[in-house]
Amino acid sequence: MKFICSNCGKELCLEPQIYEQSYKGYEVCMDCRPKHGGKREGAGRPSLGTTKKVSITLPDQVWEEIYQRKGKKPLSAFFRELVLEIRDEKS
């Protein structure tokens, strides 16, 4: 079967089974069809703020206490909550 893309003009000679499965009912070839995924306006998790990379040197004993207190939370979430708590206490 012959298929001609109405968008790019590409001509394809297809076996009947492939035409039936992938091209029947379409006016454009696979290359001209919209792709799934990619960046879209408003998609994704909302930002919590600006990311800053920080390196902290602390004694091993303090790190052990931090890991005990944070539980299953990621370190970033633990420190974010700690900083916001301190900020709110000062307000």
Side-chain angles (χ1 to χ4, degrees):
M1 301 211 74
K2 188 173 185 179
F3 178 86
I4 302 172
C5 177
S6 64
N7 187 48
C8 69
K10 187 187 302 183
E11 293 185 26
L12 302 171
C13 292
L14 304 167
E15 294 180 24
Q17 183 179 1
I18 296 196
Y19 174 80
E20 291 289 325
Q21 290 176 348
S22 302
Y23 290 89
K24 185 176 182 179
Y26 288 95
E27 294 183 11
V28 295
C29 66
M30 294 291 224
D31 293 335
C32 293
R33 292 183 198 170
K35 308 290 189 273
H36 295 284
K39 188 173 182 176
R40 296 175 315 282
E41 184 74 29
R45 183 184 334 181
S47 174
L48 296 174
T50 304
T51 300
K52 302 277 183 171
K53 305 290 183 185
V54 179
S55 179
I56 303 172
T57 303
L58 296 169
D60 289 341
Q61 187 177 3
V62 174
W63 282 114
E64 288 173 16
E65 186 177 339
I66 289 169
Y67 279 103
Q68 286 175 354
R69 287 186 180 194
K70 79 172 189 76
K72 293 184 177 183
K73 283 185 228 172
L75 271 175
S76 58
F78 175 78
F79 281 116
R80 180 174 33 256
E81 290 174 13
L82 187 62
V83 168
L84 293 176
E85 272 180 34
I86 292 168
R87 185 198 64 180
D88 291 345
E89 287 173 5
K90 289 184 178 182
S91 299

Coordinates of all heavy atoms in Angstrom, one line a residue:
M1 N 0.8 -1.2 0.0 CA 0.0 0.0 0.0 C 0.9 1.2 0.0 O 1.9 1.3 0.7 CB -0.9 0.0 1.2 CG -1.8 -1.1 1.4 SD -3.3 -0.7 2.2 CE -4.2 0.1 0.9
K2 N 0.4 2.3 -0.7 CA 1.2 3.5 -0.7 C 0.5 4.5 0.2 O -0.7 4.7 0.2 CB 1.2 4.0 -2.2 CG 2.1 5.2 -2.4 CD 2.1 5.6 -3.9 CE 3.1 6.7 -4.1 NZ 3.1 7.0 -5.5
F3 N 1.4 5.2 1.0 CA 0.9 6.2 2.0 C 1.7 7.4 1.7 O 2.9 7.4 1.6 CB 1.1 5.7 3.4 CG 0.7 6.7 4.5 CD1 -0.6 6.8 4.9 CD2 1.7 7.6 5.0 CE1 -1.0 7.8 5.8 CE2 1.3 8.6 5.9 CZ 0.0 8.6 6.3
I4 N 1.0 8.6 1.6 CA 1.7 9.9 1.4 C 1.3 10.8 2.5 O 0.1 11.0 2.8 CB 1.3 10.5 0.0 CG1 1.6 9.6 -1.1 CG2 1.9 11.9 -0.1 CD1 1.1 10.0 -2.5
C5 N 2.3 11.3 3.2 CA 2.1 12.1 4.4 C 1.6 13.5 3.9 O 2.2 14.1 3.0 CB 3.4 12.3 5.2 SG 3.2 13.4 6.6
S6 N 0.5 14.0 4.4 CA -0.1 15.3 4.0 C 0.7 16.4 4.6 O 0.6 17.6 4.1 CB -1.5 15.4 4.4 OG -1.6 15.4 5.8
N7 N 1.6 16.2 5.6 CA 2.4 17.2 6.2 C 3.7 17.4 5.5 O 4.1 18.5 5.0 CB 2.6 16.9 7.7 CG 3.2 18.1 8.4 OD1 2.8 19.2 8.2 ND2 4.3 17.8 9.2
C8 N 4.5 16.3 5.4 CA 5.9 16.4 4.8 C 6.0 15.9 3.4 O 7.0 16.1 2.7 CB 6.9 15.7 5.7 SG 6.7 13.9 5.8
G9 N 4.9 15.2 2.9 CA 5.0 14.7 1.5 C 5.7 13.4 1.4 O 5.9 12.9 0.2
K10 N 6.2 12.8 2.5 CA 6.9 11.5 2.4 C 6.0 10.4 1.8 O 4.9 10.3 2.2 CB 7.4 11.2 3.8 CG 8.3 9.9 3.8 CD 8.6 9.5 5.2 CE 9.3 10.5 6.1 NZ 9.6 10.1 7.4
E11 N 6.6 9.7 0.9 CA 5.8 8.6 0.3 C 6.4 7.2 0.9 O 7.6 7.0 0.9 CB 6.0 8.5 -1.2 CG 5.3 9.7 -1.9 CD 5.4 9.6 -3.4 OE1 5.5 8.5 -3.9 OE2 5.3 10.7 -4.0
L12 N 5.5 6.4 1.4 CA 5.9 5.1 2.0 C 5.1 4.0 1.3 O 3.9 4.1 1.0 CB 5.5 5.1 3.5 CG 6.1 6.2 4.3 CD1 5.5 6.1 5.7 CD2 7.6 6.0 4.5
C13 N 5.9 3.0 1.0 CA 5.3 1.7 0.4 C 5.2 0.7 1.6 O 6.2 0.3 2.1 CB 6.2 1.1 -0.7 SG 6.2 2.2 -2.2
L14 N 4.0 0.4 2.0 CA 3.8 -0.3 3.2 C 3.1 -1.7 3.0 O 2.3 -1.7 2.1 CB 2.9 0.5 4.2 CG 3.4 1.8 4.6 CD1 2.3 2.6 5.3 CD2 4.6 1.7 5.5
E15 N 3.5 -2.7 3.7 CA 2.8 -3.9 3.7 C 1.4 -3.7 4.3 O 1.2 -2.8 5.2 CB 3.5 -5.0 4.5 CG 4.9 -5.3 3.9 CD 5.6 -6.4 4.7 OE1 4.9 -7.1 5.5 OE2 6.8 -6.4 4.6
P16 N 0.4 -4.4 3.8 CA -1.0 -4.2 4.2 C -1.2 -4.2 5.7 O -1.9 -3.4 6.3 CB -1.8 -5.3 3.5 CG -1.0 -5.6 2.3 CD 0.4 -5.4 2.7
Q17 N -0.5 -5.2 6.4 CA -0.6 -5.3 7.8 C -0.1 -4.1 8.6 O -0.7 -3.6 9.5 CB 0.1 -6.6 8.3 CG -0.1 -6.8 9.8 CD 0.7 -8.1 10.2 OE1 1.3 -8.8 9.5 NE2 0.5 -8.4 11.5
I18 N 1.0 -3.5 8.1 CA 1.6 -2.4 8.8 C 0.7 -1.1 8.5 O 0.5 -0.3 9.4 CB 3.0 -2.1 8.3 CG1 3.9 -3.3 8.7 CG2 3.6 -0.8 8.7 CD1 5.3 -3.2 8.7
Y19 N 0.2 -1.0 7.3 CA -0.7 0.1 7.0 C -1.9 0.0 7.9 O -2.3 1.0 8.6 CB -1.2 0.0 5.6 CG -2.3 1.0 5.2 CD1 -1.9 2.3 5.0 CD2 -3.6 0.7 5.2 CE1 -2.9 3.3 4.8 CE2 -4.6 1.6 5.0 CZ -4.2 2.9 4.8 OH -5.2 3.9 4.5
E20 N -2.5 -1.2 8.1 CA -3.7 -1.3 8.9 C -3.4 -1.0 10.4 O -4.2 -0.3 11.0 CB -4.3 -2.8 8.9 CG -4.9 -3.1 7.5 CD -6.2 -2.4 7.3 OE1 -7.0 -2.2 8.2 OE2 -6.4 -2.1 6.1
Q21 N -2.3 -1.4 10.9 CA -2.0 -1.2 12.3 C -1.5 0.2 12.6 O -1.8 0.8 13.7 CB -0.8 -2.1 12.7 CG -1.3 -3.6 12.8 CD -0.1 -4.5 13.2 OE1 1.1 -4.1 13.1 NE2 -0.4 -5.7 13.5
S22 N -0.8 0.9 11.7 CA -0.1 2.1 12.1 C -0.5 3.3 11.3 O -0.3 4.5 11.7 CB 1.4 1.9 12.0 OG 1.9 0.9 12.8
Y23 N -1.1 3.2 10.1 CA -1.3 4.3 9.2 C -2.8 4.5 8.8 O -3.1 5.7 8.5 CB -0.4 4.2 8.0 CG 1.0 4.4 8.3 CD1 1.8 3.4 8.6 CD2 1.6 5.7 8.2 CE1 3.2 3.6 8.9 CE2 2.9 5.9 8.5 CZ 3.7 4.8 8.9 OH 5.0 5.0 9.2
K24 N -3.6 3.5 8.9 CA -5.0 3.6 8.5 C -5.7 4.7 9.4 O -5.6 4.6 10.6 CB -5.7 2.3 8.6 CG -7.1 2.3 8.1 CD -7.7 1.0 8.1 CE -9.1 1.0 7.5 NZ -9.7 -0.3 7.5
G25 N -6.3 5.6 8.7 CA -7.1 6.7 9.5 C -6.2 7.9 9.8 O -6.7 8.8 10.3
Y26 N -4.9 7.9 9.5 CA -4.1 9.0 9.7 C -3.7 9.7 8.4 O -3.6 9.0 7.4 CB -2.8 8.5 10.4 CG -2.9 8.1 11.8 CD1 -3.1 6.8 12.1 CD2 -2.9 9.0 12.9 CE1 -3.2 6.4 13.5 CE2 -3.0 8.6 14.2 CZ -3.2 7.3 14.5 OH -3.3 6.9 15.8
E27 N -3.5 11.0 8.5 CA -3.1 11.7 7.3 C -1.6 12.0 7.3 O -1.1 12.4 6.3 CB -3.9 13.1 7.2 CG -5.4 12.8 7.0 CD -6.1 14.1 6.8 OE1 -5.5 15.2 6.7 OE2 -7.4 14.1 6.9
V28 N -1.0 11.9 8.5 CA 0.5 12.2 8.6 C 1.3 11.0 9.0 O 0.8 10.0 9.6 CB 0.7 13.3 9.6 CG1 0.1 14.6 9.1 CG2 0.2 13.0 11.0
C29 N 2.6 10.9 8.6 CA 3.4 9.8 8.9 C 3.8 9.8 10.4 O 3.5 10.8 11.1 CB 4.7 9.9 8.0 SG 5.8 11.3 8.3
M30 N 4.5 8.8 10.8 CA 4.9 8.7 12.2 C 5.8 9.8 12.6 O 5.7 10.3 13.8 CB 5.6 7.3 12.4 CG 4.7 6.2 12.3 SD 3.5 6.1 13.6 CE 3.6 4.4 14.0
D31 N 6.7 10.3 11.7 CA 7.6 11.4 12.0 C 6.9 12.7 12.3 O 7.4 13.6 13.0 CB 8.7 11.6 10.9 CG 9.6 10.4 10.8 OD1 9.8 9.7 11.8 OD2 10.1 10.2 9.7
C32 N 5.7 12.9 11.7 CA 5.0 14.1 11.8 C 3.9 14.1 12.9 O 3.3 15.2 13.2 CB 4.4 14.5 10.4 SG 5.6 14.9 9.2
R33 N 3.7 13.0 13.5 CA 2.7 12.9 14.6 C 3.3 13.5 15.9 O 4.5 13.4 16.1 CB 2.3 11.5 14.8 CG 1.5 10.9 13.7 CD 1.1 9.5 13.9 NE 0.7 8.9 12.7 CZ 0.5 7.6 12.6 NH1 0.5 6.8 13.6 NH2 0.1 7.1 11.4
P34 N 2.5 14.0 16.7 CA 2.9 14.5 18.0 C 3.6 13.4 18.9 O 3.2 12.3 18.8 CB 1.7 15.0 18.7 CG 0.6 15.0 17.7 CD 1.0 14.1 16.6
K35 N 4.7 13.8 19.5 CA 5.4 12.8 20.4 C 4.8 13.0 21.8 O 4.4 14.0 22.2 CB 6.9 13.1 20.4 CG 7.5 13.2 19.0 CD 7.5 11.8 18.3 CE 8.3 11.8 17.1 NZ 7.6 12.2 15.9
H36 N 4.9 11.9 22.6 CA 4.5 11.9 24.0 C 5.6 12.5 24.9 O 6.8 12.3 24.6 CB 4.1 10.5 24.5 CG 2.9 10.0 23.8 ND1 1.6 10.4 24.0 CD2 2.8 9.1 22.8 CE1 0.8 9.8 23.2 NE2 1.5 9.0 22.5
G37 N 5.3 13.1 26.0 CA 6.2 13.5 26.9 C 6.8 14.9 26.6 O 6.4 15.6 25.7
G38 N 7.9 15.2 27.2 CA 8.6 16.4 27.0 C 8.1 17.5 27.9 O 7.2 17.4 28.7
K39 N 8.8 18.7 27.8 CA 8.5 19.8 28.7 C 7.2 20.4 28.3 O 7.0 20.7 27.1 CB 9.6 20.8 28.7 CG 9.5 21.9 29.7 CD 10.7 22.8 29.7 CE 10.6 23.8 30.7 NZ 11.7 24.7 30.9
R40 N 6.3 20.6 29.2 CA 5.0 21.3 29.0 C 4.8 22.4 30.0 O 5.1 22.2 31.2 CB 3.9 20.3 29.0 CG 4.0 19.2 27.9 CD 2.9 18.1 28.1 NE 2.6 17.6 29.4 CZ 3.4 16.7 30.0 NH1 4.5 16.3 29.5 NH2 3.1 16.3 31.2
E41 N 4.2 23.5 29.6 CA 3.9 24.6 30.5 C 3.0 24.1 31.7 O 2.0 23.4 31.4 CB 3.1 25.6 29.7 CG 2.8 26.9 30.5 CD 4.0 27.8 30.7 OE1 4.9 27.8 29.9 OE2 4.0 28.5 31.8
G42 N 3.4 24.4 32.9 CA 2.6 24.0 34.1 C 2.8 22.5 34.5 O 2.2 22.2 35.5
A43 N 3.6 21.8 33.8 CA 3.8 20.3 34.2 C 4.9 20.2 35.2 O 5.8 21.0 35.3 CB 4.1 19.5 33.0
G44 N 4.8 19.2 36.0 CA 5.8 18.9 37.0 C 5.5 19.4 38.4 O 4.5 20.1 38.6
R45 N 6.4 19.1 39.3 CA 6.2 19.5 40.7 C 6.5 21.0 40.8 O 7.5 21.5 40.3 CB 7.2 18.8 41.5 CG 7.1 19.0 43.0 CD 8.1 18.3 43.8 NE 8.7 17.1 43.2 CZ 9.6 16.4 43.8 NH1 10.0 16.7 45.0 NH2 10.0 15.3 43.2
P46 N 5.7 21.8 41.6 CA 6.0 23.2 41.8 C 7.3 23.4 42.6 O 7.6 22.6 43.4 CB 4.8 23.7 42.6 CG 3.9 22.6 42.8 CD 4.5 21.3 42.2
S47 N 8.0 24.4 42.2 CA 9.3 24.7 42.9 C 9.1 25.2 44.3 O 8.1 25.9 44.6 CB 10.0 25.8 42.1 OG 11.2 26.2 42.8
L48 N 9.9 24.7 45.2 CA 9.9 25.2 46.6 C 10.7 26.5 46.8 O 10.6 27.1 47.8 CB 10.4 24.1 47.5 CG 9.7 22.8 47.6 CD1 10.4 21.7 48.4 CD2 8.3 23.0 48.1
G49 N 11.5 26.8 45.9 CA 12.4 28.0 46.0 C 13.6 27.8 45.1 O 13.7 27.0 44.2
T50 N 14.7 28.5 45.5 CA 15.9 28.5 44.8 C 16.8 27.4 45.4 O 17.0 27.3 46.6 CB 16.7 29.8 44.8 OG1 15.8 30.8 44.3 CG2 17.9 29.8 44.1
T51 N 17.5 26.6 44.6 CA 18.4 25.5 45.0 C 19.8 26.1 45.2 O 20.3 26.7 44.2 CB 18.4 24.3 44.1 OG1 17.0 23.8 44.0 CG2 19.3 23.2 44.6
K52 N 20.4 25.9 46.3 CA 21.8 26.3 46.6 C 22.5 25.0 47.1 O 22.0 24.4 48.0 CB 21.9 27.4 47.6 CG 21.1 28.7 47.3 CD 21.9 29.5 46.4 CE 21.2 30.8 46.1 NZ 22.0 31.8 45.4
K53 N 23.6 24.7 46.5 CA 24.4 23.6 46.9 C 25.3 24.0 48.1 O 26.0 25.0 47.9 CB 25.3 23.0 45.8 CG 24.5 22.7 44.6 CD 23.6 21.4 44.8 CE 22.9 21.1 43.5 NZ 22.0 20.0 43.7
V54 N 25.3 23.3 49.2 CA 26.1 23.7 50.4 C 26.8 22.4 50.9 O 26.3 21.3 50.9 CB 25.1 24.2 51.5 CG1 25.9 24.5 52.7 CG2 24.3 25.4 51.0
S55 N 28.0 22.6 51.3 CA 28.8 21.6 51.9 C 29.0 21.9 53.4 O 29.5 23.0 53.7 CB 30.1 21.4 51.2 OG 30.9 20.4 51.8
I56 N 28.7 21.0 54.3 CA 28.8 21.2 55.7 C 29.8 20.2 56.3 O 29.6 19.0 56.1 CB 27.5 21.1 56.4 CG1 26.5 22.0 55.8 CG2 27.6 21.3 57.9 CD1 25.0 21.9 56.3
T57 N 30.7 20.6 57.1 CA 31.6 19.7 57.8 C 31.2 19.7 59.3 O 31.2 20.8 59.9 CB 33.1 20.2 57.7 OG1 33.4 20.3 56.3 CG2 34.0 19.2 58.4
L58 N 30.9 18.5 59.8 CA 30.5 18.4 61.2 C 31.2 17.1 61.7 O 31.5 16.2 61.0 CB 29.0 18.2 61.3 CG 28.1 19.4 60.8 CD1 26.7 19.0 60.8 CD2 28.3 20.5 61.8
P59 N 31.4 17.1 63.0 CA 31.9 15.8 63.6 C 31.0 14.6 63.4 O 29.8 14.8 63.2 CB 32.0 16.2 65.1 CG 31.9 17.7 65.2 CD 31.1 18.1 64.0
D60 N 31.6 13.5 63.3 CA 30.9 12.2 63.1 C 29.7 12.0 64.0 O 28.6 11.6 63.7 CB 31.8 11.0 63.1 CG 32.7 11.0 61.9 OD1 32.4 11.7 60.9 OD2 33.7 10.3 61.9
Q61 N 30.0 12.4 65.3 CA 28.9 12.2 66.3 C 27.7 13.1 66.0 O 26.5 12.6 66.2 CB 29.5 12.6 67.7 CG 28.6 12.4 68.9 CD 29.3 12.7 70.2 OE1 30.4 13.2 70.2 NE2 28.6 12.5 71.3
V62 N 27.9 14.3 65.5 CA 26.7 15.1 65.1 C 26.0 14.5 63.9 O 24.8 14.5 63.8 CB 27.2 16.6 64.8 CG1 26.1 17.4 64.3 CG2 27.8 17.2 66.0
W63 N 26.8 14.0 62.9 CA 26.1 13.4 61.7 C 25.3 12.2 62.2 O 24.2 12.0 61.6 CB 27.2 12.9 60.7 CG 27.7 14.1 59.9 CD1 28.9 14.6 59.8 CD2 26.9 14.9 58.9 NE1 29.0 15.6 59.0 CE2 27.8 15.8 58.4 CE3 25.6 14.9 58.5 CZ2 27.4 16.8 57.4 CZ3 25.2 15.8 57.6 CH2 26.1 16.7 57.1
E64 N 25.8 11.4 63.1 CA 25.0 10.3 63.6 C 23.7 10.7 64.2 O 22.6 10.1 64.0 CB 25.8 9.5 64.6 CG 27.0 8.7 64.0 CD 27.9 8.1 65.1 OE1 27.5 7.9 66.3 OE2 29.0 7.7 64.7
E65 N 23.7 11.8 65.0 CA 22.5 12.4 65.6 C 21.5 12.9 64.5 O 20.3 12.6 64.6 CB 22.9 13.5 66.5 CG 21.7 14.0 67.3 CD 22.1 15.1 68.3 OE1 23.2 15.2 68.7 OE2 21.1 15.9 68.7
I66 N 22.1 13.5 63.5 CA 21.3 14.0 62.4 C 20.5 12.8 61.7 O 19.3 12.9 61.5 CB 22.1 14.8 61.4 CG1 22.5 16.2 62.0 CG2 21.4 15.0 60.1 CD1 23.5 16.9 61.2
Y67 N 21.3 11.8 61.4 CA 20.7 10.6 60.7 C 19.6 10.0 61.6 O 18.6 9.5 61.1 CB 21.8 9.6 60.3 CG 22.5 10.1 59.0 CD1 23.7 10.6 59.0 CD2 21.8 9.9 57.8 CE1 24.3 11.0 57.8 CE2 22.4 10.3 56.6 CZ 23.7 10.9 56.6 OH 24.2 11.3 55.4
Q68 N 19.8 9.9 62.9 CA 18.8 9.4 63.8 C 17.6 10.2 63.8 O 16.4 9.7 63.7 CB 19.4 9.2 65.2 CG 20.4 8.1 65.4 CD 21.0 8.1 66.8 OE1 20.7 9.0 67.6 NE2 21.8 7.1 67.1
R69 N 17.7 11.5 63.8 CA 16.6 12.4 63.9 C 15.8 12.5 62.6 O 14.6 12.7 62.6 CB 17.0 13.8 64.3 CG 17.4 14.0 65.7 CD 17.7 15.4 66.1 NE 18.1 15.5 67.5 CZ 18.1 16.7 68.1 NH1 17.8 17.8 67.4 NH2 18.4 16.8 69.3
K70 N 16.5 12.4 61.5 CA 15.8 12.6 60.2 C 14.9 11.5 59.8 O 14.0 11.7 59.0 CB 16.8 12.9 59.1 CG 17.5 11.7 58.5 CD 18.3 12.0 57.3 CE 18.8 10.8 56.6 NZ 17.8 10.0 55.9
G71 N 15.1 10.3 60.4 CA 14.3 9.2 60.0 C 14.4 8.8 58.6 O 15.5 8.7 58.1
K72 N 13.3 8.6 57.9 CA 13.3 8.2 56.5 C 13.4 9.4 55.5 O 13.4 9.2 54.3 CB 12.1 7.4 56.2 CG 12.1 6.0 56.9 CD 10.9 5.2 56.5 CE 11.0 3.8 57.1 NZ 9.9 2.9 56.7
K73 N 13.3 10.6 56.1 CA 13.3 11.8 55.2 C 14.7 12.0 54.5 O 15.7 11.6 55.1 CB 13.1 13.1 56.1 CG 11.8 13.4 56.5 CD 11.7 14.7 57.2 CE 11.0 14.6 58.5 NZ 11.1 15.7 59.3
P74 N 14.7 12.5 53.3 CA 16.0 12.9 52.7 C 16.7 14.0 53.5 O 16.0 14.8 54.2 CB 15.6 13.4 51.3 CG 14.2 12.9 51.1 CD 13.6 12.8 52.4
L75 N 18.0 14.0 53.5 CA 18.7 15.1 54.2 C 18.2 16.5 53.8 O 18.1 17.4 54.7 CB 20.2 15.0 54.0 CG 21.0 14.1 54.9 CD1 22.5 14.0 54.5 CD2 21.0 14.5 56.3
S76 N 18.0 16.7 52.6 CA 17.6 18.0 52.1 C 16.3 18.4 52.8 O 16.1 19.6 53.2 CB 17.5 18.0 50.6 OG 16.5 17.1 50.2
A77 N 15.3 17.5 52.9 CA 14.0 17.8 53.5 C 14.2 18.1 55.0 O 13.6 19.0 55.6 CB 13.0 16.7 53.3
F78 N 15.1 17.3 55.6 CA 15.4 17.5 57.1 C 15.9 18.9 57.3 O 15.4 19.6 58.2 CB 16.3 16.4 57.6 CG 16.7 16.6 59.0 CD1 15.9 16.2 60.0 CD2 18.0 17.1 59.3 CE1 16.3 16.4 61.4 CE2 18.4 17.2 60.6 CZ 17.5 16.9 61.7
F79 N 17.0 19.2 56.6 CA 17.6 20.6 56.8 C 16.6 21.7 56.4 O 16.6 22.7 57.1 CB 18.9 20.7 56.0 CG 20.0 20.0 56.7 CD1 20.7 18.9 56.1 CD2 20.5 20.4 57.9 CE1 21.7 18.2 56.7 CE2 21.5 19.7 58.6 CZ 22.2 18.7 58.0
R80 N 15.8 21.5 55.4 CA 14.9 22.6 55.0 C 13.9 22.8 56.1 O 13.6 24.0 56.5 CB 14.1 22.2 53.7 CG 13.1 23.2 53.2 CD 12.5 22.9 51.9 NE 12.2 21.5 51.6 CZ 13.0 20.8 50.7 NH1 14.0 21.3 50.1 NH2 12.7 19.5 50.5
E81 N 13.3 21.7 56.7 CA 12.4 21.9 57.8 C 13.0 22.5 59.0 O 12.4 23.4 59.7 CB 11.8 20.5 58.1 CG 10.8 20.0 57.1 CD 10.3 18.6 57.4 OE1 10.5 18.1 58.5 OE2 9.8 18.0 56.4
L82 N 14.3 22.1 59.3 CA 15.0 22.7 60.4 C 15.2 24.2 60.3 O 14.9 25.0 61.2 CB 16.4 22.0 60.6 CG 17.2 22.3 61.8 CD1 16.5 21.8 63.1 CD2 18.5 21.5 61.7
V83 N 15.7 24.6 59.1 CA 15.9 26.0 58.8 C 14.6 26.8 58.9 O 14.5 27.9 59.5 CB 16.6 26.2 57.5 CG1 16.6 27.7 57.0 CG2 18.0 25.7 57.5
L84 N 13.5 26.3 58.3 CA 12.2 27.0 58.3 C 11.7 27.1 59.8 O 11.0 28.1 60.1 CB 11.2 26.3 57.4 CG 11.6 26.4 55.9 CD1 10.6 25.6 55.1 CD2 11.7 27.9 55.4
E85 N 11.9 26.0 60.6 CA 11.4 26.1 62.0 C 12.2 27.2 62.7 O 11.5 28.0 63.4 CB 11.8 24.7 62.7 CG 10.7 23.7 62.6 CD 11.1 22.4 63.3 OE1 11.8 22.5 64.3 OE2 10.8 21.3 62.8
I86 N 13.5 27.3 62.5 CA 14.3 28.3 63.2 C 13.8 29.7 62.8 O 13.6 30.6 63.6 CB 15.8 28.1 62.9 CG1 16.2 26.8 63.6 CG2 16.6 29.3 63.4 CD1 17.6 26.4 63.2
R87 N 13.5 29.9 61.4 CA 13.1 31.1 60.9 C 11.7 31.5 61.5 O 11.5 32.7 61.9 CB 13.0 31.1 59.4 CG 12.6 32.4 58.8 CD 12.1 32.3 57.4 NE 10.8 31.5 57.4 CZ 10.1 31.2 56.4 NH1 10.5 31.6 55.2 NH2 9.0 30.6 56.5
D88 N 10.8 30.5 61.6 CA 9.5 30.8 62.2 C 9.5 31.2 63.7 O 8.7 32.0 64.1 CB 8.6 29.6 61.9 CG 8.2 29.4 60.5 OD1 8.4 30.4 59.7 OD2 7.7 28.3 60.1
E89 N 10.5 30.6 64.4 CA 10.6 30.9 65.8 C 11.1 32.3 66.0 O 10.7 32.9 67.0 CB 11.6 29.9 66.5 CG 11.1 28.5 66.6 CD 12.2 27.5 67.1 OE1 13.3 28.0 67.4 OE2 11.9 26.3 67.2
K90 N 11.9 32.8 65.1 CA 12.4 34.2 65.2 C 11.3 35.2 64.8 O 11.4 36.4 65.2 CB 13.6 34.4 64.4 CG 14.8 33.6 64.9 CD 16.0 33.9 64.0 CE 17.2 33.2 64.6 NZ 18.5 33.5 63.9
S91 N 10.3 34.8 64.1 CA 9.3 35.7 63.7 C 8.3 36.1 64.7 O 8.0 35.4 65.6 CB 8.5 35.2 62.5 OG 9.4 34.9 61.4

